[in-house]
């Protein structure tokens, strides 16, 4: 009997989805918590970073609204202001990912999981040969779910919009339009 990670792998029983409605009902908690994390991070970042952001955006607008065409000094000032705004936005994005991933990891650690929605690790519990597999499965599920939740709701909105378009197209086709 080996003690390696792949030793005696029996696989996990799958919780297969039967219908598209079942799929959406399984994913709805993830959608809800992704929206919650996205909004929380947005509020935290706006409180923390909005003053500097507003100042930099106003400076760029002011320089764009003034007649900078052909004036090398104003052109250079506009370029410098746009670069400062770009650096500020990049730094803000650099803060949002760790915050949202941290929140996602906390939620995943307390039970909001993605892989467990489709794979049933509890079906293998009690078998001593799968204990390390269950531990690794849960660890991977927490990390993956935290990253998925940290991704925000934009990908989810895109998927739901695609679904809406498919449903509308098939409805129009059925109606003969």
């Amino acid at each position: 009997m080996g003690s390696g990670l792949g030793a005696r792998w029996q696989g996990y029983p799958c919780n297969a989805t039967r219908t598209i409605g079942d799929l959406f009902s399984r994913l709805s908690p993830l959608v809800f918590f992704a929206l919650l994390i996205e909004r929380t991070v947005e509020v935290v970042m706006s409180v923390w970073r909005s003053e500097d952001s507003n100042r930099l955006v106003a400076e760029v607008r002011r320089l764009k609204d003034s007649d900078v065409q052909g004036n090398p000094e104003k052109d250079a000032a506009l370029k410098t202001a746009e670069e400062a705004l770009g650096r500020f936005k990049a730094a803000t994005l650099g803060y949002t990912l760790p915050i949202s991933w941290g929140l996602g990891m906390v939620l995943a650690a307390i039970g909001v999981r993605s892989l467990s929605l489709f794979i049933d690790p509890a079906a293998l519990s009690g078998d001593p040969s799968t204990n390390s597999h269950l531990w690794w499965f849960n660890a991977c599920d927490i990390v993956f779910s935290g990253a998925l939740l940290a991704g925000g709701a934009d990908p989810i909105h895109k998927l739901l919009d695609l679904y809406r378009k498919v449903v509308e197209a098939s409805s129009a086709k059925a109606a003969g339009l």
Side-chain angles (χ1 to χ4, degrees):
M1 236 199 256
S3 62
L5 181 61
R8 298 178 46 92
W9 174 255
Q10 290 100 14
Y12 285 107
C14 180
N15 290 334
T17 56
R18 307 278 188 261
T19 64
I20 193 78
D22 185 33
L23 176 67
F24 282 121
S25 69
R26 286 177 188 248
L27 293 177
S28 61
L30 293 174
V31 171
F32 172 75
F33 285 108
L35 289 168
L36 186 68
I37 288 173
E38 182 179 51
R39 183 64 183 145
T40 301
V41 171
E42 183 181 325
V43 168
V44 167
M45 295 308 288
S46 67
V47 167
W48 178 27
R49 310 268 297 166
S50 66
E51 183 179 342
D52 290 336
S53 174
N54 292 338
R55 181 181 49 76
L56 291 168
V57 168
E59 178 66 16
V60 168
R61 256 192 218 130
R62 182 186 65 77
L63 289 168
K64 281 186 177 181
D65 290 343
S66 67
D67 188 21
V68 297
Q69 304 297 338
N71 186 336
E73 257 182 43
K74 287 187 177 181
D75 284 339
L78 177 60
K79 183 178 178 186
T80 303
E82 287 174 338
E83 288 172 354
L85 180 59
R87 282 191 304 276
F88 181 83
K89 287 180 178 181
T92 300
L93 284 175
Y95 294 131
T96 59
L97 179 62
I99 292 170
S100 60
W101 197 15
L103 289 172
M105 294 283 286
V106 167
L107 286 173
I110 62 172
V112 181
R113 310 264 177 90
S114 57
L115 297 178
S116 298
L117 296 174
F118 302 101
I119 299 172
D120 186 16
L124 296 175
S125 63
D127 182 1
S129 68
T130 61
N131 286 342
S132 67
H133 297 293
L134 289 172
W135 187 91
W136 280 104
F137 176 82
N138 286 326
C140 290
D141 196 7
I142 289 170
V143 171
F144 181 76
S145 299
L148 183 68
L149 291 170
D154 189 47
I156 297 167
H157 289 303
K158 288 178 182 177
L159 283 173
L160 292 176
D161 189 46
L162 176 65
Y163 174 73
R164 180 188 57 80
K165 288 178 182 177
V166 167
V167 169
E168 287 175 354
S170 53
S171 296
K173 189 176 184 181
L177 297 174

